[in-house]
Amino acid sequence: MAIPTVEPERYAEQLAEKQAYVEKTFAAFTTPTLEVYPSPPSHYRQRCEFRIWHEDDDLFYAMFEVDPDNPKSKRVVRLDQFPVASEHINALMPRLREAFLASDELRRRLFQVEFLTTLSGEALVTLIYHRPLSDTWEAEARALEEALGIMIIGRSRKQRLVLTRDHVWERLTVDGRELVYQQVENSFTQPNAHICQTMLSWAREATAGRQDEDLVELYCGNGNFTIALAENFRRVLATEISRTSVASANVNLEANGVTNAQVARMSAEEFALALKGEKTGRRVTEMALDAYEFSTVLVDPPRAGLDAESCHQISEYAQIVYISCNPATLAENLTILTKTHHIERFALFDQFPFTEHCECGVLLTRKNSGQ
């Protein structure tokens, strides 16, 4: 892994390079003008993790860079600050390190530190150890919580000590409305909250005017898009395989007063079978699929994208909103999806500045018969 070199003065240049890459990748398709949404050029990640490297009486935050000529060779890189991470994380890094250096109990066999912060000012720090955590550790960690105004979780093998709570509350402003999200430690959340707000606004605009129709969402996570899009539709059915994410999504629906959405714990593949009537059981019965009239599907799959069968499944909907973290697999999927649908909108969201990663959003609408 290459550690990003943040150079704010070069941000426009690197974004132009990403735009050119995306336009070239999708040159074979008939696409509208690419919509490009920039990120803050630095301090954009609300979560990150570091190894703790011990050298004699010293310790420091570290990441590893792989030698491209020798993948088995890794170089330890010391990080006293990390411009990729939020300003809150950067402010906490030296203060936490000082606390570790001052306390044998907090530093001994400390292996990794994970940060989860929010735009709203909360910080949850997970300290991971290669030893059991004692009452003495807990007492010192609680004192550190109070001193730094943070929340701490301690982890070691078969041990997880939550001192205050295991989540933060993020507050995102989307189209002038504040949305609140419970984000649980060690579960997936969008790392760039600024771009997340932009993505949610874009998806809301793309699906406007469908209050008499229903939305089905695959890979819904903690309800990130579900909550933002619910008022655009009559009803929303969202599916997610992770038990933790489903529980968090339900908490978030209630926290935002969303009453027209349901989250089902089910994989995309299982849901496809349920729609065909080939899967039954309690969870399928609870979904009451016959009550829905789905016009729109939203998918936000992992980097591997969708398999061919899933592409054919979502081709049955009049409107497709596809959020992708991997242009290569998105292009493969669009080869199938554009047989039945037009690309109406295409967006580049710069989720990770100064890296090769590109986040895209595509709106597709079904072609008229005969086209």
Side-chain angles (χ1 to χ4, degrees):
M1 181 188 76
I3 299 172
T5 300
V6 174
E7 299 174 296
E9 68 279 4
R10 287 192 56 247
Y11 180 70
E13 177 186 341
Q14 75 93 41
L15 184 56
E17 290 173 356
K18 284 188 179 180
Q19 179 176 349
Y21 164 72
V22 171
E23 290 173 342
K24 181 179 178 181
T25 301
F26 296 93
F29 300 94
T30 302
T31 62
T33 301
L34 183 66
E35 305 166 51
V36 180
Y37 296 96
S39 166
S42 63
H43 303 304
Y44 54 83
R45 279 196 71 109
Q46 299 300 319
R47 58 180 172 87
C48 60
E49 61 185 46
F50 303 97
R51 285 284 294 274
I52 295 296
W53 199 256
H54 298 257
E55 285 188 354
D56 300 323
D57 291 333
D58 193 15
L59 58 77
F60 52 85
Y61 303 98
M63 286 186 173
F64 300 95
E65 281 195 328
V66 177
D67 184 343
D69 298 323
N70 182 9
K72 293 184 179 180
S73 175
K74 294 181 180 181
R75 180 172 69 92
V76 178
V77 179
R78 176 173 180 153
L79 296 168
D80 294 314
Q81 291 283 271
F82 192 47
V84 167
S86 69
E87 291 181 356
H88 199 170
I89 292 174
N90 278 276
L92 287 171
M93 288 173 68
R95 298 183 69 189
L96 277 168
R97 177 174 172 270
E98 290 169 5
F100 301 150
L101 290 171
S103 167
D104 180 67
E105 186 63 30
L106 292 176
R107 68 179 288 174
R108 184 163 52 89
R109 305 201 71 182
L110 175 62
F111 170 72
Q112 184 163 302
V113 177
E114 300 176 354
F115 293 89
L116 176 59
T117 60
T118 68
L119 296 178
S120 55
E122 292 190 353
L124 176 60
V125 179
T126 302
L127 307 180
I128 303 175
Y129 291 84
H130 282 326
R131 65 175 175 91
L133 301 179
S134 65
D135 292 343
T136 303
W137 176 89
E138 181 173 346
E140 293 202 22
R142 287 190 182 279
L144 183 59
E145 271 194 333
E146 185 173 354
L148 299 185
I150 62 176
M151 297 174 287
I152 289 177
I153 294 175
R155 284 184 176 270
S156 65
R157 190 176 180 218
K158 297 183 179 180
Q159 193 175 21
R160 179 173 181 258
L161 297 179
V162 179
L163 302 191
T164 300
R165 49 182 159 92
D166 69 349
H167 60 274
V168 295
W169 283 100
E170 180 60 285
R171 300 179 182 276
L172 303 179
T173 301
V174 180
D175 298 337
R177 177 185 169 197
E178 184 180 82
L179 305 178
V180 296
Y181 292 92
Q182 180 198 70
Q183 298 182 343
V184 178
E185 181 250 4
N186 208 31
S187 64
F188 177 77
T189 56
Q190 294 286 345
N192 187 330
H194 301 279
I195 282 292
C196 184
Q197 291 177 146
T198 301
M199 291 169 61
L200 295 178
S201 180
W202 181 87
R204 280 170 52 83
E205 183 181 345
T207 59
R210 295 182 176 268
Q211 282 82 3
D212 296 328
E213 304 168 8
D214 298 332
L215 167 70
V216 60
E217 182 185 355
L218 310 180
Y219 311 97
C220 77
N222 71 341
N224 186 50
F225 284 96
T226 319
I227 287 150
L229 298 183
E231 68 178 4
N232 279 6
F233 294 90
R234 184 184 66 152
R235 297 178 67 186
V236 179
L237 176 60
T239 65
E240 168 60 47
I241 190 61
S242 164
R243 190 183 299 272
T244 299
S245 293
V246 169
S248 191
N250 282 317
V251 169
N252 290 333
L253 292 178
E254 183 176 356
N256 288 277
V258 175
T259 59
N260 65 329
Q262 176 187 2
V263 180
R265 192 173 72 83
M266 187 172 290
S267 70
E269 294 75 18
E270 288 177 314
F271 181 70
L273 295 176
L275 283 175
K276 295 177 183 177
E278 297 175 9
K279 178 178 175 58
T280 59
R282 177 182 56 81
R283 284 183 291 169
V284 175
T285 301
E286 289 175 351
M287 287 192 294
L289 291 172
D290 292 341
Y292 290 90
E293 296 180 9
F294 298 119
S295 67
T296 304
V297 60
L298 185 147
V299 291
D300 185 5
R303 288 188 58 78
L306 301 173
D307 59 26
E309 185 174 346
S310 296
C311 285
H312 290 303
Q313 177 208 340
I314 68 172
S315 293
E316 298 176 5
Y317 299 95
Q319 181 171 249
I320 302 168
V321 180
Y322 192 134
I323 307 297
S324 169
C325 60
N326 186 348
T329 54
L330 173 61
E332 293 175 3
N333 289 166
L334 288 181
T335 300
I336 298 174
L337 297 174
T338 52
K339 292 177 181 179
T340 55
H341 288 66
H342 288 295
I343 299 175
E344 294 287 340
R345 294 182 66 174
F346 206 134
L348 164 62
F349 304 101
D350 194 16
Q351 180 94 253
F352 303 105
F354 301 104
T355 74
E356 295 179 352
H357 295 290
C358 297
E359 192 95 2
C360 295
V362 185
L363 171 67
L364 302 107
T365 57
R366 182 181 290 144
K367 297 176 180 179
N368 296 327
S369 59
Q371 285 187 294

